[in-house]
Amino acid sequence: MTGNLSTRQIVAMGGAGLSIEPDNLLLEKYLLKLANKDSPKICFIPTASGDSQSYIDRFDTAFAQLTCTPSHLLLFRLQTADLRSFVLEQDIIYVGGGNTKNLIALWRDWGLDSIIKEAWERGVILAGWSAGSICWFEEGVTDSFPGELTALRCLGFLEGSNCPHYDGELERKPSYHRLLSEGLISQGYAADDGVALHFLATQLERIVSSRPHAKAYRLEKVGETVKESPLEPTYLGDILNTSL
């Protein structure tokens, strides 16, 4: 049975701690708290990196420090024939970075996109950084193709577009502005590294950050110009020992 809309959560990160600064796991701690369980089941899906062992090792090292039950779903080294049951028993699906086009193609070929959507509708929290952030939106700014950054059609769980690494990669900001001004991508959100956009149902509910001065942005085309509006996150370091 499909869950109530208010239980659907997606946490889209510009860049997460285990990918950019493994000693700063504030975003990962925030994510685990959302499950509201003593030891939430969190499954890492590193499809976009080709199931990179280094990414898997980083995940294992990071979440071994936290109270949770971690696992992996590896499409290149499949552990189960029953993907649906495995995914639906998780509390959190955590998707890594890499090539978003490859991620979407492989998920669709395996039917994993539909399974993950069902899990989301049943209350499983979806999260991820970089490719694991833009995949949830209708469109994203991607480096999946050689050359300049381009727009990519994604899964469409969330409306609009997304751009991660807004402060971490020099070409992200000008590319998002260019794509918007040329009408090649829809309006949406950008996130600096360390910033997470927390959606409840399909509405942006909260913005949090593991870095004191990092920000998110709302971008839209207004006439012939692109309007970029800063969105101030809540710094998680200030509330680490309080209720989130």
Side-chain angles (χ1 to χ4, degrees), residues 13-16 19-21 129-130 143 149 163-174 190-195 211 213-217:
M13 306 174 183
S19 68
I20 57 172
E21 43 187 2
W129 76 88
S130 195
D143 58 2
L149 297 174
C163 180
H165 306 303
Y166 207 55
D167 67 336
E169 297 179 4
L170 289 176
E171 293 305 312
R172 289 286 175 171
K173 180 171 181 173
D192 289 345
D193 285 337
V195 172
R211 294 175 164 184
H213 305 296
K215 288 183 173 58
Y217 303 86

Side-chain angles (χ1 to χ4, degrees), residues 27-43:
L27 289 180
E28 286 75 11
K29 292 176 182 179
Y30 176 77
L31 183 59
L32 291 174
K33 282 183 176 291
L34 295 179
N36 197 29
K37 292 189 176 181
D38 291 337
S39 184
K41 296 179 180 180
I42 180 165
C43 178

Side-chain angles (χ1 to χ4, degrees), residues 2-183:
T2 300
N4 187 285
L5 282 174
S6 64
T7 68
R8 302 183 187 187
Q9 298 185 76
I10 293 178
V11 181
M13 306 174 183
L18 71 89
S19 68
I20 57 172
E21 43 187 2
D23 293 330
N24 181 358
L25 299 177
L26 289 174
L27 289 180
E28 286 75 11
K29 292 176 182 179
Y30 176 77
L31 183 59
L32 291 174
K33 282 183 176 291
L34 295 179
N36 197 29
K37 292 189 176 181
D38 291 337
S39 184
K41 296 179 180 180
I42 180 165
C43 178
F44 181 48
I45 306 183
T47 310
S49 66
D51 290 349
S52 164
Q53 189 60 49
S54 65
Y55 260 172
I56 295 166
D57 292 344
R58 283 189 230 171
F59 171 83
D60 289 343
T61 299
F63 283 90
Q65 305 171 51
L66 306 174
T67 304
C68 61
T69 304
S71 63
H72 320 111
L73 179 55
L74 311 179
L75 291 184
F76 292 87
R77 290 171 280 165
L78 201 60
Q79 314 102 298
T80 177
D82 190 352
L83 290 175
R84 181 175 178 273
S85 294
F86 182 79
V87 169
L88 290 180
E89 72 180 12
Q90 306 300 320
D91 298 306
I92 303 166
I93 297 295
Y94 194 39
V95 181
N99 189 302
T100 315
K101 182 174 174 59
N102 288 346
L103 176 153
I104 292 170
L106 283 166
W107 283 13
R108 285 177 173 159
D109 194 56
W110 283 98
L112 188 57
D113 57 334
S114 298
I115 293 169
I116 289 177
K117 186 174 184 180
E118 180 185 356
W120 175 55
E121 290 171 342
R122 289 170 174 257
V124 177
I125 299 165
L126 307 183
W129 76 88
S130 195
S133 174
I134 71 175
C135 68
W136 312 121
F137 292 80
E138 291 178 319
E139 298 172 297
V141 179
T142 184
D143 58 2
S144 296
F145 305 89
E148 65 182 8
L149 297 174
T150 59
L152 179 71
R153 293 294 299 176
C154 298
L155 297 175
F157 296 3
L158 299 173
E159 294 180 353
S161 63
N162 178 236
C163 180
H165 306 303
Y166 207 55
D167 67 336
E169 297 179 4
L170 289 176
E171 293 305 312
R172 289 286 175 171
K173 180 171 181 173
S175 295
Y176 200 6
H177 278 248
R178 172 181 56 81
L179 292 168
L180 275 167
S181 65
E182 295 176 2

